[in-house]
Coordinates of all heavy atoms in Angstrom, one line a residue:
M275 N 0.9 -1.2 0.0 CA 0.0 0.0 0.0 C 0.9 1.2 0.0 O 1.7 1.4 0.9 CB -0.9 0.0 1.2 CG -1.8 1.1 1.4 SD -3.0 0.7 2.6 CE -3.1 2.0 3.6
K276 N 0.7 2.1 -1.0 CA 1.6 3.3 -1.1 C 0.7 4.5 -0.9 O -0.2 4.7 -1.7 CB 2.3 3.3 -2.4 CG 3.2 4.4 -2.5 CD 4.1 4.4 -3.8 CE 5.0 5.6 -3.8 NZ 6.0 5.5 -4.9
I277 N 1.0 5.3 0.1 CA 0.3 6.5 0.3 C 1.3 7.6 0.2 O 2.4 7.6 0.9 CB -0.4 6.6 1.7 CG1 -1.5 5.5 1.8 CG2 -0.9 8.0 2.0 CD1 -2.1 5.4 3.2
T278 N 1.1 8.6 -0.7 CA 2.0 9.7 -0.8 C 1.5 10.9 0.0 O 0.5 11.4 -0.3 CB 2.1 10.1 -2.3 OG1 2.4 8.9 -3.1 CG2 3.1 11.2 -2.5
P279 N 2.3 11.2 1.0 CA 1.9 12.3 1.9 C 2.1 13.7 1.2 O 3.1 13.9 0.5 CB 2.8 12.1 3.1 CG 4.0 11.4 2.6 CD 3.5 10.6 1.5
T280 N 1.2 14.6 1.5 CA 1.3 16.0 1.1 C 1.1 16.9 2.2 O 0.7 16.5 3.3 CB 0.3 16.3 -0.1 OG1 -1.0 16.2 0.5 CG2 0.5 15.3 -1.2
L281 N 1.3 18.2 2.0 CA 0.9 19.2 3.1 C -0.5 19.1 3.4 O -0.9 19.3 4.6 CB 1.3 20.6 2.6 CG 2.8 20.9 2.7 CD1 3.1 22.3 2.1 CD2 3.4 20.8 4.1
I282 N -1.4 18.9 2.4 CA -2.8 18.9 2.7 C -3.2 17.7 3.5 O -4.0 17.8 4.5 CB -3.6 18.9 1.3 CG1 -3.3 20.1 0.5 CG2 -5.1 18.7 1.6 CD1 -3.7 21.4 1.1
T283 N -2.7 16.5 3.2 CA -3.0 15.3 3.9 C -2.5 15.4 5.4 O -3.1 14.9 6.3 CB -2.5 14.0 3.3 OG1 -1.1 14.1 3.2 CG2 -3.1 13.8 1.9
A284 N -1.3 16.0 5.5 CA -0.7 16.2 6.8 C -1.6 17.1 7.7 O -1.8 16.9 8.8 CB 0.7 16.7 6.7
A285 N -2.1 18.2 7.1 CA -2.9 19.1 7.8 C -4.2 18.5 8.2 O -4.8 18.7 9.3 CB -3.1 20.4 6.9
L286 N -4.8 17.7 7.3 CA -6.1 17.0 7.6 C -5.9 16.0 8.7 O -6.8 15.9 9.6 CB -6.6 16.3 6.3 CG -7.2 17.3 5.2 CD1 -7.6 16.5 4.0 CD2 -8.3 18.1 5.7
A287 N -4.8 15.3 8.7 CA -4.5 14.4 9.8 C -4.3 15.2 11.1 O -4.8 14.7 12.2 CB -3.2 13.6 9.5
G288 N -3.8 16.3 11.1 CA -3.6 17.2 12.3 C -5.0 17.7 12.8 O -5.2 17.7 14.0
V289 N -5.9 18.0 11.8 CA -7.2 18.4 12.2 C -7.9 17.3 12.9 O -8.6 17.5 14.0 CB -8.0 19.0 11.0 CG1 -9.5 19.1 11.3 CG2 -7.4 20.3 10.5
L290 N -7.9 16.1 12.4 CA -8.5 14.9 13.0 C -8.0 14.7 14.4 O -8.7 14.6 15.3 CB -8.3 13.7 12.1 CG -8.8 12.4 12.7 CD1 -10.3 12.4 12.7 CD2 -8.2 11.2 12.0
S291 N -6.6 14.7 14.5 CA -6.0 14.5 15.8 C -6.4 15.6 16.8 O -6.7 15.4 18.0 CB -4.5 14.5 15.7 OG -4.1 13.4 14.9
G292 N -6.4 16.9 16.3 CA -6.7 18.0 17.2 C -8.1 18.1 17.7 O -8.4 18.7 18.7
I293 N -9.0 17.6 16.9 CA -10.4 17.6 17.3 C -10.8 16.4 18.2 O -11.5 16.5 19.2 CB -11.3 17.7 16.1 CG1 -11.2 19.1 15.4 CG2 -12.8 17.5 16.5 CD1 -11.9 19.3 14.1
V294 N -10.4 15.2 17.7 CA -10.9 14.0 18.4 C -10.2 13.7 19.7 O -10.9 13.4 20.7 CB -10.7 12.8 17.4 CG1 -11.0 11.5 18.1 CG2 -11.6 13.0 16.2
M295 N -8.9 13.9 19.8 CA -8.2 13.5 21.0 C -8.6 14.3 22.3 O -8.8 13.7 23.4 CB -6.7 13.5 20.9 CG -6.2 12.2 20.2 SD -6.8 10.6 20.9 CE -6.1 10.6 22.5
P296 N -8.8 15.6 22.2 CA -9.2 16.4 23.4 C -10.6 16.0 23.8 O -10.9 16.0 25.0 CB -9.2 17.8 22.9 CG -8.2 17.9 21.8 CD -8.3 16.6 21.1
I297 N -11.4 15.5 22.9 CA -12.8 15.0 23.3 C -12.7 13.7 24.0 O -13.3 13.4 25.0 CB -13.7 14.9 22.1 CG1 -13.9 16.3 21.5 CG2 -15.0 14.2 22.4 CD1 -14.6 16.4 20.1
L298 N -11.8 12.8 23.5 CA -11.7 11.4 24.0 C -10.9 11.4 25.3 O -11.1 10.5 26.1 CB -11.1 10.5 23.0 CG -12.0 10.1 21.8 CD1 -11.3 9.2 20.8 CD2 -13.3 9.5 22.2
W299 N -9.9 12.2 25.4 CA -9.0 12.2 26.5 C -9.6 12.1 27.9 O -9.4 11.2 28.7 CB -8.0 13.3 26.4 CG -6.8 13.1 27.3 CD1 -6.7 13.6 28.6 CD2 -5.6 12.5 27.0 NE1 -5.5 13.2 29.2 CE2 -4.8 12.6 28.2 CE3 -5.1 11.9 25.9 CZ2 -3.5 12.0 28.2 CZ3 -3.8 11.4 26.0 CH2 -3.0 11.4 27.1
P300 N -10.5 13.1 28.2 CA -11.2 13.0 29.6 C -12.0 11.8 29.8 O -12.2 11.3 30.9 CB -12.0 14.3 29.7 CG -11.6 15.1 28.5 CD -10.9 14.3 27.5
K301 N -12.6 11.3 28.7 CA -13.5 10.1 28.8 C -12.7 8.8 29.0 O -13.3 7.9 29.6 CB -14.4 10.0 27.6 CG -15.3 11.2 27.5 CD -16.2 11.2 26.2 CE -17.0 12.4 26.2 NZ -17.7 12.6 24.9
L302 N -11.5 8.8 28.5 CA -10.8 7.5 28.5 C -9.6 7.5 29.4 O -8.8 6.6 29.5 CB -10.3 7.2 27.1 CG -11.4 7.0 26.0 CD1 -10.7 6.8 24.7 CD2 -12.2 5.8 26.4
I303 N -9.4 8.6 30.2 CA -8.2 8.7 31.0 C -8.1 7.6 32.1 O -7.0 7.2 32.4 CB -8.1 10.1 31.7 CG1 -6.7 10.4 32.2 CG2 -9.1 10.3 32.8 CD1 -5.7 10.7 31.1
D304 N -9.2 7.1 32.6 CA -9.2 6.1 33.6 C -9.0 4.7 33.0 O -8.8 3.7 33.7 CB -10.4 6.1 34.5 CG -10.4 7.4 35.3 OD1 -9.3 7.9 35.6 OD2 -11.5 7.9 35.6
E305 N -9.3 4.6 31.7 CA -9.2 3.3 31.0 C -7.9 3.3 30.1 O -7.9 3.7 29.0 CB -10.4 3.1 30.1 CG -11.7 3.2 30.9 CD -12.9 3.1 30.0 OE1 -12.8 2.4 28.9 OE2 -13.9 3.7 30.3
G306 N -6.8 2.9 30.7 CA -5.5 2.9 30.0 C -5.5 2.3 28.7 O -5.0 2.8 27.7
G307 N -6.1 1.1 28.6 CA -6.0 0.3 27.3 C -6.8 1.0 26.2 O -6.4 1.2 25.1
S308 N -8.0 1.6 26.6 CA -8.8 2.3 25.6 C -8.2 3.6 25.2 O -8.3 3.9 24.0 CB -10.2 2.6 26.2 OG -10.9 1.4 26.5
L309 N -7.5 4.3 26.1 CA -6.8 5.5 25.7 C -5.7 5.2 24.8 O -5.5 6.0 23.8 CB -6.3 6.2 27.0 CG -5.6 7.5 26.8 CD1 -6.6 8.5 26.2 CD2 -5.1 8.1 28.1
V310 N -4.9 4.1 25.0 CA -3.8 3.8 24.1 C -4.4 3.5 22.7 O -3.8 3.9 21.7 CB -3.0 2.6 24.7 CG1 -2.1 2.1 23.6 CG2 -2.3 3.0 25.9
I311 N -5.4 2.7 22.6 CA -6.0 2.3 21.3 C -6.6 3.6 20.6 O -6.3 3.8 19.4 CB -7.1 1.3 21.5 CG1 -6.5 0.0 22.0 CG2 -7.9 1.1 20.2 CD1 -7.5 -1.1 22.4
A312 N -7.2 4.5 21.4 CA -7.7 5.7 20.7 C -6.6 6.6 20.2 O -6.7 7.1 19.2 CB -8.6 6.5 21.7
F313 N -5.5 6.7 21.0 CA -4.3 7.4 20.6 C -3.7 6.8 19.3 O -3.4 7.6 18.4 CB -3.3 7.5 21.7 CG -2.1 8.4 21.4 CD1 -2.2 9.7 21.6 CD2 -1.0 7.8 20.9 CE1 -1.2 10.6 21.3 CE2 0.1 8.7 20.6 CZ 0.0 10.0 20.8
L314 N -3.6 5.5 19.3 CA -3.1 4.9 18.0 C -4.0 5.2 16.8 O -3.5 5.5 15.7 CB -2.9 3.4 18.3 CG -1.8 3.0 19.2 CD1 -1.9 1.5 19.5 CD2 -0.5 3.3 18.7
I315 N -5.3 5.1 17.0 CA -6.2 5.2 15.9 C -6.3 6.7 15.4 O -6.3 6.9 14.2 CB -7.6 4.7 16.3 CG1 -7.6 3.2 16.4 CG2 -8.6 5.1 15.2 CD1 -8.8 2.6 17.0
F316 N -6.3 7.6 16.4 CA -6.6 9.0 16.0 C -5.4 9.9 15.9 O -5.5 11.0 15.4 CB -7.7 9.6 16.9 CG -9.0 9.0 16.8 CD1 -9.5 8.2 17.8 CD2 -9.8 9.2 15.6 CE1 -10.7 7.6 17.6 CE2 -11.0 8.6 15.5 CZ -11.5 7.8 16.5
V317 N -4.2 9.4 16.4 CA -3.0 10.3 16.3 C -1.9 9.5 15.6 O -1.4 10.0 14.6 CB -2.6 10.7 17.7 CG1 -1.3 11.5 17.6 CG2 -3.6 11.5 18.4
A318 N -1.5 8.4 16.1 CA -0.3 7.7 15.5 C -0.6 7.2 14.1 O 0.3 7.5 13.2 CB 0.1 6.5 16.4
F319 N -1.7 6.5 13.8 CA -1.9 6.0 12.5 C -2.0 7.1 11.4 O -1.4 7.1 10.4 CB -3.0 5.1 12.4 CG -3.3 4.6 11.0 CD1 -2.4 3.7 10.4 CD2 -4.4 5.0 10.3 CE1 -2.6 3.2 9.1 CE2 -4.6 4.6 9.0 CZ -3.7 3.7 8.4
P320 N -2.9 8.1 11.7 CA -3.0 9.2 10.7 C -1.7 10.0 10.5 O -1.3 10.3 9.4 CB -4.1 10.2 11.2 CG -4.9 9.3 12.1 CD -3.9 8.3 12.7
A321 N -0.9 10.2 11.6 CA 0.4 10.8 11.4 C 1.3 10.0 10.6 O 2.0 10.6 9.7 CB 1.0 11.1 12.8
H322 N 1.4 8.7 10.8 CA 2.3 7.9 10.0 C 1.8 7.8 8.6 O 2.6 8.0 7.7 CB 2.4 6.5 10.6 CG 3.5 5.7 10.0 ND1 3.3 5.1 8.8 CD2 4.8 5.5 10.4 CE1 4.5 4.5 8.4 NE2 5.3 4.7 9.4
A323 N 0.6 7.6 8.4 CA 0.1 7.4 7.0 C 0.1 8.7 6.2 O 0.5 8.7 5.0 CB -1.4 6.9 7.0
F324 N -0.3 9.8 6.8 CA -0.5 11.0 6.0 C 0.6 12.1 6.2 O 0.5 13.1 5.5 CB -1.9 11.6 6.2 CG -3.0 10.6 5.9 CD1 -3.8 10.1 6.9 CD2 -3.2 10.2 4.6 CE1 -4.8 9.2 6.6 CE2 -4.2 9.3 4.3 CZ -5.0 8.8 5.3
V325 N 1.5 11.9 7.1 CA 2.6 12.8 7.2 C 3.9 12.1 6.8 O 4.6 12.7 6.0 CB 2.8 13.2 8.7 CG1 4.0 14.1 8.9 CG2 1.5 14.0 9.2
V326 N 4.2 10.9 7.2 CA 5.4 10.2 6.8 C 5.1 9.4 5.6 O 5.9 9.4 4.6 CB 5.8 9.2 8.0 CG1 7.1 8.4 7.6 CG2 6.1 10.0 9.2
G327 N 4.0 8.7 5.5 CA 3.6 7.9 4.3 C 4.1 6.4 4.4 O 4.9 6.1 5.3
F328 N 3.6 5.6 3.6 CA 4.0 4.2 3.5 C 4.7 4.0 2.1 O 4.4 4.7 1.1 CB 2.8 3.3 3.5 CG 2.0 3.3 4.8 CD1 0.7 3.6 4.8 CD2 2.7 2.9 5.9 CE1 0.0 3.6 6.0 CE2 2.0 2.9 7.1 CZ 0.7 3.2 7.2
G329 N 5.7 3.2 2.1 CA 6.4 3.0 0.8 C 7.3 4.2 0.4 O 7.5 4.4 -0.8
R330 N 7.7 4.9 1.3 CA 8.4 6.2 1.1 C 9.8 5.9 0.7 O 10.5 5.1 1.3 CB 8.3 7.0 2.3 CG 8.6 8.4 2.2 CD 8.4 9.1 3.5 NE 9.4 10.2 3.6 CZ 10.6 10.1 4.2 NH1 10.8 9.0 4.9 NH2 11.4 11.0 4.2
Q331 N 10.3 6.5 -0.3 CA 11.7 6.4 -0.7 C 12.5 7.6 0.0 O 12.0 8.7 0.0 CB 11.9 6.6 -2.2 CG 11.2 5.5 -3.0 CD 11.9 4.1 -2.7 OE1 13.1 4.0 -2.4 NE2 11.0 3.1 -2.6
P332 N 13.7 7.3 0.6 CA 14.5 8.3 1.2 C 14.8 9.4 0.2 O 15.2 9.1 -0.9 CB 15.7 7.6 1.7 CG 15.6 6.2 1.4 CD 14.3 6.0 0.6
T333 N 14.7 10.7 0.6 CA 15.1 11.8 -0.3 C 16.3 12.4 0.3 O 16.5 12.5 1.5 CB 13.9 12.8 -0.4 OG1 13.6 13.3 0.9 CG2 12.7 12.2 -1.0
G334 N 17.1 13.0 -0.6 CA 18.3 13.7 -0.2 C 19.4 12.7 0.2 O 19.4 11.5 0.0
K335 N 20.5 13.3 0.6 CA 21.7 12.6 1.0 C 21.6 12.1 2.4 O 21.0 12.8 3.3 CB 22.9 13.4 0.8 CG 23.1 13.9 -0.6 CD 24.3 14.8 -0.7 CE 24.4 15.3 -2.2 NZ 25.4 16.4 -2.3
P336 N 22.3 11.0 2.8 CA 22.3 10.6 4.2 C 22.9 11.7 5.0 O 23.9 12.3 4.6 CB 23.1 9.3 4.2 CG 23.1 8.9 2.8 CD 22.9 10.1 1.9
G337 N 22.3 11.9 6.2 CA 22.9 12.9 7.1 C 22.3 14.3 6.9 O 22.6 15.3 7.6
T338 N 21.4 14.5 5.9 CA 20.8 15.8 5.7 C 19.3 15.7 6.2 O 18.7 14.7 6.3 CB 20.8 16.2 4.2 OG1 20.1 15.2 3.5 CG2 22.2 16.2 3.7
V339 N 18.7 16.9 6.4 CA 17.4 17.0 6.9 C 16.4 16.9 5.7 O 16.6 17.6 4.7 CB 17.2 18.3 7.6 CG1 15.7 18.5 8.0 CG2 18.1 18.4 8.8
D340 N 15.4 16.1 5.8 CA 14.3 16.0 4.8 C 13.4 17.2 5.0 O 12.5 17.1 5.8 CB 13.6 14.7 4.9 CG 12.6 14.4 3.8 OD1 12.3 15.3 3.0 OD2 12.1 13.3 3.7
M341 N 13.6 18.2 4.2 CA 12.8 19.5 4.4 C 11.3 19.2 4.1 O 10.4 19.8 4.7 CB 13.3 20.6 3.5 CG 14.7 21.1 4.0 SD 14.7 21.6 5.7 CE 13.7 23.0 5.7
D342 N 11.0 18.4 3.1 CA 9.5 18.1 2.9 C 8.9 17.5 4.0 O 7.7 17.8 4.4 CB 9.4 17.2 1.6 CG 9.8 18.0 0.3 OD1 9.7 19.2 0.3 OD2 10.1 17.3 -0.6
L343 N 9.5 16.5 4.7 CA 9.0 15.8 5.9 C 8.9 16.9 7.0 O 7.8 16.9 7.7 CB 9.9 14.7 6.3 CG 9.5 14.0 7.6 CD1 8.1 13.4 7.4 CD2 10.5 12.9 7.9
L344 N 9.8 17.7 7.2 CA 9.8 18.7 8.2 C 8.6 19.7 8.0 O 7.9 20.0 8.9 CB 11.1 19.5 8.2 CG 11.4 20.4 9.4 CD1 11.4 19.5 10.7 CD2 12.7 21.1 9.3
K345 N 8.3 20.0 6.7 CA 7.2 20.9 6.4 C 5.9 20.2 6.7 O 4.9 20.8 7.3 CB 7.2 21.3 5.0 CG 8.3 22.3 4.7 CD 8.4 22.6 3.2 CE 9.6 23.5 2.8 NZ 9.7 23.7 1.4
R346 N 5.8 18.9 6.4 CA 4.6 18.1 6.7 C 4.3 18.0 8.2 O 3.2 18.1 8.6 CB 4.6 16.8 6.0 CG 4.5 16.9 4.5 CD 4.3 15.5 3.8 NE 5.3 14.5 4.2 CZ 6.4 14.2 3.5 NH1 6.7 14.9 2.4 NH2 7.2 13.3 3.9
V347 N 5.4 17.8 8.9 CA 5.3 17.7 10.4 C 4.8 19.0 11.0 O 3.9 19.1 11.8 CB 6.6 17.2 11.0 CG1 6.5 17.4 12.5 CG2 6.9 15.8 10.7
G348 N 5.3 20.1 10.4 CA 4.9 21.4 10.9 C 3.4 21.7 10.5 O 2.7 22.2 11.3
A349 N 3.0 21.3 9.3 CA 1.6 21.4 8.9 C 0.7 20.6 9.8 O -0.4 21.0 10.2 CB 1.4 21.0 7.5
W350 N 1.1 19.4 10.2 CA 0.3 18.5 11.0 C 0.2 19.1 12.4 O -0.9 19.2 12.9 CB 1.0 17.1 11.1 CG 0.4 16.1 12.0 CD1 -0.9 15.6 11.8 CD2 0.9 15.6 13.2 NE1 -1.1 14.7 12.8 CE2 0.0 14.7 13.7 CE3 2.1 15.7 13.9 CZ2 0.2 13.9 14.8 CZ3 2.3 15.0 15.0 CH2 1.3 14.1 15.5
L351 N 1.3 19.5 13.0 CA 1.2 20.1 14.3 C 0.4 21.4 14.4 O -0.4 21.7 15.3 CB 2.6 20.3 14.9 CG 3.4 19.1 15.2 CD1 4.9 19.4 15.6 CD2 2.7 18.3 16.4
G352 N 0.7 22.3 13.4 CA 0.0 23.5 13.3 C -1.5 23.4 13.1 O -2.3 24.0 13.8
A353 N -1.9 22.4 12.3 CA -3.4 22.2 12.1 C -4.0 21.6 13.3 O -5.1 21.9 13.7 CB -3.6 21.2 10.9
A354 N -3.3 20.7 14.0 CA -3.8 20.1 15.2 C -4.0 21.2 16.3 O -5.0 21.2 17.0 CB -2.8 19.0 15.8
M355 N -3.0 22.1 16.5 CA -3.1 23.1 17.5 C -4.3 24.1 17.1 O -5.1 24.5 18.0 CB -1.8 23.9 17.6 CG -0.8 23.1 18.3 SD 0.7 24.0 18.7 CE 1.3 24.4 17.1
L356 N -4.4 24.5 15.9 CA -5.5 25.4 15.4 C -6.8 24.7 15.6 O -7.8 25.4 16.1 CB -5.3 25.8 14.0 CG -6.2 26.8 13.4 CD1 -6.1 28.1 14.1 CD2 -6.0 27.0 11.9
A357 N -6.9 23.4 15.3 CA -8.2 22.7 15.5 C -8.6 22.6 16.9 O -9.8 22.8 17.3 CB -8.1 21.3 14.9
M358 N -7.6 22.4 17.8 CA -7.9 22.4 19.3 C -8.4 23.7 19.8 O -9.3 23.8 20.6 CB -6.7 21.9 20.0 CG -6.4 20.4 19.9 SD -5.1 19.8 21.1 CE -3.8 20.8 20.8
V359 N -7.7 24.8 19.3 CA -8.1 26.1 19.8 C -9.5 26.4 19.3 O -10.4 26.9 20.1 CB -7.1 27.2 19.3 CG1 -7.6 28.6 19.4 CG2 -5.8 27.0 20.0
I360 N -9.8 26.1 18.1 CA -11.2 26.4 17.5 C -12.2 25.6 18.2 O -13.3 26.0 18.6 CB -11.2 26.2 16.0 CG1 -10.4 27.3 15.3 CG2 -12.6 26.2 15.5 CD1 -10.1 27.1 13.8
A361 N -11.9 24.3 18.4 CA -12.9 23.4 19.1 C -13.1 23.8 20.5 O -14.3 23.7 21.0 CB -12.3 21.9 19.1
Q362 N -12.1 24.3 21.2 CA -12.3 24.8 22.6 C -13.1 26.0 22.6 O -13.8 26.3 23.6 CB -11.0 24.9 23.3 CG -10.2 23.7 23.5 CD -10.9 22.7 24.4 OE1 -11.5 23.1 25.4 NE2 -10.9 21.4 24.1
A363 N -12.9 26.9 21.6 CA -13.7 28.2 21.6 C -15.1 27.9 21.3 O -16.0 28.7 21.7 CB -13.1 29.1 20.5
V364 N -15.4 26.9 20.5 CA -16.8 26.6 20.2 C -17.5 25.8 21.2 O -18.0 25.9 22.1 CB -16.9 25.8 18.8 CG1 -18.3 25.3 18.5 CG2 -16.3 26.6 17.7

């Protein structure tokens, strides 16, 4: 399965994480197993699939920073923070 990550998919994964996890966190804090599963489903899997990607070929030379990946991580974190702020305001 090959998923090619983009800035848009990274931002959408961040929005999903930013909206769903603050809602689920208080409800699942006492249930350790359920919290871990929810974290994997709504944060870890979307981040890996839509920020890092599957079947990804290394870009650049060894020892250098992958700027595209760094931009996608920034888009993911920024969208998650923005979504959390908007969700808390509403």
Side-chain angles (χ1 to χ4, degrees):
M275 178 161 133
K276 184 173 181 172
I277 295 175
T278 305
T280 65
L281 284 175
I282 301 296
T283 61
L286 290 175
V289 168
L290 174 71
S291 301
I293 291 174
V294 173
M295 278 313 292
I297 294 169
L298 290 180
W299 193 271
K301 296 176 183 173
L302 299 175
I303 197 71
D304 294 331
E305 302 175 31
S308 298
L309 182 61
V310 169
I311 291 170
F313 186 83
L314 289 173
I315 291 171
F316 294 108
V317 177
F319 178 73
H322 189 281
F324 300 113
V325 177
V326 178
F328 293 121
R330 198 176 146 262
Q331 296 297 325
T333 58
K335 298 176 186 173
T338 61
V339 176
D340 185 350
M341 291 306 291
D342 290 335
L343 177 60
L344 193 59
K345 289 176 186 175
R346 290 192 305 268
V347 169
W350 177 66
L351 290 173
M355 288 188 295
L356 184 62
M358 284 191 307
V359 168
I360 292 172
Q362 293 298 320
V364 172

